[in-house]
Amino acid sequence: MRTLVIDCATENCSAALFEREGDALRLIDGRCETLGRGHAERLVPMIAELPDGGRADRIAVSTGPGSFTGIRVGLAAAKALALAWRADLVGFPTLALIAAQARAQSGAAPVGVTNNAGHGEWFVQEFAADGLPRSDARSLPPADAQTALTAEQVAGSKAEALVAARGFGQAWPLLPDARQFAALPQSLLLPDPHPAYGRRPDAAIPNKGTTGRRVDSTQRAD
């Protein structure tokens, strides 16, 4: 069985094709580019560059938290291909993939993940040594993010800034890469994926009684 993996919830745009061999996933081919913008224009051609045009029995797509536009682009492409190919569709959390990438480099240890959330905030979430989440993903001001993550290992686009600010730890400045999907605990796959943007739309009135917004997959950008 082949799995096509799509992740364009951050500045990175990536797609990878895997083959299942026993209980393991073997990477056949993949692409990963740091675009910032232009995911909608690049994602489908990127998939087409993979063997057999990326055709797979299962499609796994990143659900966020991350960019409103990037998440929507990835989900739309994944749903369209799943329908056309009659493939199974699953989702996976973006920050969990970053944590898995860090664990693949540093070994089995707890990891805190922090990514740019926009509007001066950072996404944060803690993961145990087995790669499973120890907390919900939240969007916090940088000062609160520094105290929210206690793990020695910190990964993500804001990892270096957070480690420097709090004065301890090792930073892994990573963005999600679909080619590293095999490192993700498969128990984190989500049936019937929906976007988890990680923060409320810009027009929403902030709740002054909270010190961070938990990721809610029902939040919408429009």
Side-chain angles (χ1 to χ4, degrees):
M1 183 182 78
R2 286 187 171 183
T3 298
L4 172 66
V5 182
I6 295 170
D7 191 306
C8 54
T10 68
E11 298 93 325
N12 266 8
C13 182
S14 61
L17 189 63
F18 289 85
E19 183 79 50
R20 177 165 290 281
E21 295 183 347
D23 294 331
L25 290 174
R26 177 180 64 86
L27 177 65
I28 299 173
D29 195 9
R31 304 283 187 277
C32 183
E33 300 175 11
T34 302
L35 301 177
R37 297 179 180 273
H39 295 67
E41 293 76 17
R42 182 66 185 116
L43 178 60
V44 172
M46 182 180 285
I47 294 170
E49 293 167 8
L50 300 175
D52 301 321
R55 191 178 185 99
D57 310 289
R58 181 178 70 164
I59 300 172
V61 59
S62 174
T63 59
S67 158
F68 286 16
T69 301
I71 292 170
R72 288 198 299 266
V73 166
L75 279 166
K79 289 179 178 180
L81 292 174
L83 181 63
W85 297 341
R86 298 182 179 179
D88 295 331
L89 179 64
V90 295
F92 62 91
T94 305
L95 303 187
L97 179 57
I98 296 175
Q101 292 172 213
R103 289 173 58 252
Q105 297 188 45
S106 65
V111 178
V113 178
T114 179
N115 254 18
N116 179 34
H119 297 273
E121 293 193 341
W122 298 352
F123 293 128
V124 295
Q125 189 172 17
E126 290 199 306
F127 293 84
D130 60 2
L132 299 180
R134 299 198 315 191
S135 65
D136 292 323
R138 292 182 291 165
S139 178
L140 297 172
D144 294 332
Q146 294 166 28
T147 59
L149 297 185
T150 60
E152 181 79 12
Q153 307 289 330
V154 182
S157 64
K158 292 299 182 180
E160 291 178 319
L162 186 142
V163 167
R166 74 180 188 179
F168 73 92
Q170 182 173 8
W172 299 91
L174 301 171
L175 287 171
D177 183 344
R179 297 174 297 179
Q180 304 299 316
F181 177 75
L184 181 77
Q186 297 298 289
S187 61
L188 296 181
L189 296 183
L190 311 166
D192 188 25
H194 294 284
Y197 295 118
R199 60 180 177 84
R200 298 187 186 280
D202 294 345
I205 298 174
N207 184 344
K208 295 181 180 180
T210 62
T211 58
R213 292 183 286 277
R214 182 175 60 84
V215 170
D216 183 346
S217 63
T218 64
Q219 291 176 7
R220 296 292 185 269
D222 42 29

